[in-house]
């Protein structure tokens, strides 16, 4: 009885643990907000939303400046909806807010952290309501710059609009570009008119934000313009340019140049912008030249937009020199491609590495090492180093398990321009396992069936796909099921019935059957080998050593054969050259003789058939023509005297006949005959 109870408990434990792991789970994934943002709020009541996906459904928590938000009548959040509600918002609630979405997975909790949401109170204030007035005196047609005195103003807004007003709060008109307001709010009067002093109460700058109804004014000026009797002509002169312009990647930048120079025929000079390579800039999708050429706006900045730009002006009285304006393009840390944290789904028992490698913009200091968070908590002494390996630019989770290692990992890198956050949520799923053993080696006779049933299981979140990737050692059926296969879509049983096959079809069944079982995140390959009992396997060709193809051997043999042929040709040529040498001549030369001089002295320059008259015959000439061999070359014993002892021979010991023509001794005529001898 006790044994039965133990078995029941054991099976119950096994069943319950199997059910817990084989359920649909996924970590929380925040979908809003998805990027860092700064909000300027003018209203008192508003809501900031946080939204996330995940199974089971996540719950939410908001933190302010990395601290829990205490209960308050001004700030509340809903743990089920993620809404962060502000009532009576003021400067005291300003700060950086982050949303934390979490779901409970058995005995662990996965937590995702949102990008920061910075909230500020929108305001344009002048604590000192008294306006000061400063007098300014200039001559007619002269240039003058009036500064926007905003040091006494308190301004907090996403963007600021600058305008100039009369003391009666009427907005000044820019008079077709004669007046120009730069990005700092300062007013440039290209040439003064006497009517500029018409308002005795002066002029002042005014700042506004999203609504022109909310305007705050700076100190005012009283402008006095002295008339002149003679209209001057002035060449352009640079009076002001935007220096130290710094802008972030993907944002816009505004460069400015302001020139004086009055020309009655052309009141405003013509201003031209060029790149540092001399290219003239015109308005297009990248650039906007406006305000009579004083302003150059560059959109969607790239790192390569950091360079020198040049402005110059001309009118009928002259032309200015080009003036350099440098744009410094900067950025928060930039993640390297494929080195930023990204969500990952992985099968159980594998290692997971989350990268976090970033750089700064070109020419700037390297970012700080990454600071890592696991499920919203910074890594430290409490981190299990046997499970989680934290490095400078990566974090590895070893041999992940479901559901224990379903988690979200966060890294933060920073430089002088700010910080960049990247998050990766890790979802662990069950691996692909076979539900029954496969008969991997099958030997069949005609009429038998080949069992191709392959049954597998995996995580409940995935759907398995079966693909036959090889069939009978051929690759032309990739992605197709084998021919003759019968498949039951309900039981998943698959087989090949050889009954009724032709002999050729039956023989073609021999070989390997390979199936690839896969889903989006994992795969498994199984192989079934089939042999035929009554058909011996064909002899396999001797395989060459792996990685060494037969064509390489053939190439080497061909090269060796070509080398041997070349060597033989060289030997034959050398032998021919040696046979062409006149060795007798060389030996006579070594003996102290000079055959060449002998030939020259004796006139042996040409040899021809000897004429019959050259011989002293006592009788008449022969009746028949002599053959060449019938004419004696000589029989005088003295013909070889010069080479040594006189001997009765026509040649010396080397067979040389040199010297036989030195003296012509009387020759005895050959015996004559009237018949030719054959």
């Amino acid at each position: 009885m006790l044994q039965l109870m133990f078995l029941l408990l054991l099976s119950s434990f096994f069943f319950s643990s199997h059910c817990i792991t084989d359920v649909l789970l996924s970590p929380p994934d925040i979908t809003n907000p998805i990027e860092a943002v700064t909000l300027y709020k003018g209203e008192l009541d508003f809501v900031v939303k946080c939204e996330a996906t995940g199974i089971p459904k996540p719950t939410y928590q908001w933190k302010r400046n990395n601290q829990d938000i205490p209960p308050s009548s001004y700030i509340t959040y809903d743990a089920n909806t993620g809404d962060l509600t502000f009532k009576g918002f003021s400067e005291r609630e300003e700060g950086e807010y982050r949303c934390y979405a979490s779901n409970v997975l058995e005995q662990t909790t996965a937590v995702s952290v949102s990008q920061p949401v910075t909230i500020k109170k929108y305001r344009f204030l002048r604590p000192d309501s008294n306006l000061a007035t400063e007098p300014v005196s200039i001559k007619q047609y002269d240039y003058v710059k009036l500064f926007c005195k905003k040091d006494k103003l308190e301004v907090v807004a996403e963007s600021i609009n600058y305008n100039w007003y009369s003391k009666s709060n009427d907005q000044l008109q820019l008079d077709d570009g004669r007046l120009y307001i730069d990005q700092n709010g300062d007013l440039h009067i290209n040439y003064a008119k006497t009517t500029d002093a018409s308002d005795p109460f002066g002029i002042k700058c005014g700042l506004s934000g999203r609504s022109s109804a909310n305007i705050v004014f700076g100190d005012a000026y009283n402008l006095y313009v002295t008339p002149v009797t003679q209209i001057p002509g002035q060449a352009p002169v640079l009076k002001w340019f935007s220096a130290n312009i710094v802008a972030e990647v993907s944002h816009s930048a505004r460069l400015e140049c302001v020139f004086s120079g009055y020309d009655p025929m052309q009141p405003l000079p013509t201003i031209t912008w060029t790149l540092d390579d001399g290219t003239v800039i015109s308005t297009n999708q990248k650039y906007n030249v406006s305000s009579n050429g004083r302003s150059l706006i560059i959109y969607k900045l790239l790192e390569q937009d950091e360079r020198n730009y040049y402005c110059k002006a001309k009118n009928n009285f002259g032309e200015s020199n080009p003036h350099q304006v440098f744009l410094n393009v900067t950025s928060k840390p930039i993640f390297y491609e494929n080195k930023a944290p990204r969500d990952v789904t992985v099968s159980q028992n594998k290692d997971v590495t989350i990268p976090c490698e970033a750089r700064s913009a070109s020419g700037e200091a390297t970012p700080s090492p990454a600071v890592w968070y696991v499920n919203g908590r910074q890594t430290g002494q409490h981190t299990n180093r046997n499970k989680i390996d934290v490095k400078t630019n990566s974090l590895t989770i070893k041999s992940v398990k479901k559901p224990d290692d379903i988690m979200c990992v966060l890294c933060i890198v920073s430089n002088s321009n700010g910080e960049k956050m990247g998050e990766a949520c890790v979802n662990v799923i069950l691996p692909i396992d076979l539900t029954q053993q496969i008969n991997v080696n099958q030997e069949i006779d005609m009429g038998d069936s080949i069992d191709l049933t392959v049954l597998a299981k995996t995580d409940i979140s995935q759907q398995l796909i079966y693909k036959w990737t090889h069939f009978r050692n051929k690759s032309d059926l990739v992605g197709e099921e084998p021919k003759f296969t019968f498949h039951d879509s309900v039981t998943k049983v698959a087989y090949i019935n050889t009954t009724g096959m032709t002999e050729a079809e039956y023989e073609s069944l021999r070989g390997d059957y390979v199936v690839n079982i896969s889903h989006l995140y994992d795969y498994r390959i199984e192989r079934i080998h089939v042999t035929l009992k009554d058909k011996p396997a064909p002899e396999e060709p001797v395989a060459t050593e792996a990685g060494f193809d037969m064509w390489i051997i053939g190439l080497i043999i061909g090269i060796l054969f070509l080398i041997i042929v070349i060597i033989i040709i060289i030997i034959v040529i050398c032998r021919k050259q040696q046979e062409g040498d006149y060795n007798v001549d060389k030996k006579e030369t070594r003996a102290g003789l000079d055959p060449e001089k002998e030939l020259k002295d004796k006139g042996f320059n040409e040899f021809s058939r000897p004429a019959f008259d050259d011989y002293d015959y006592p009788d008449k000439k022969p009746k028949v023509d002599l053959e060449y061999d019938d004419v004696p070359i000589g029989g005088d014993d003295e013909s070889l005297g010069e080479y040594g002892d006189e001997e009765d021979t026509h040649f010396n010991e080397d067979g040389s006949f040199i010297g036989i023509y030195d003296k012509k001794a009387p020759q005895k005529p050959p015996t004559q005959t009237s018949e030719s001898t054959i």
Side-chain angles (χ1 to χ4, degrees), residues 332-370:
K332 296 175 182 178
I334 303 169
F335 283 119
Y336 287 106
E337 187 176 1
N338 299 325
K339 295 298 181 65
R342 288 184 175 86
D343 293 346
V344 59
T345 299
V346 64
S347 292
Q348 188 169 262
N349 300 321
K350 294 183 178 180
D351 292 350
V352 178
T353 297
I354 308 299
C356 183
E357 294 188 32
R359 63 177 179 84
S360 295
S362 178
E364 298 186 354
T366 303
S368 63

Side-chain angles (χ1 to χ4, degrees), residues 623-644:
K623 294 180 181 180
V624 296
D625 293 335
L626 294 174
E627 290 295 324
Y628 180 78
D629 293 335
D630 296 333
V631 180
I633 297 176
D636 192 352
D637 294 337
E638 297 178 356
S639 61
L640 299 176
E642 60 182 284
Y643 291 95

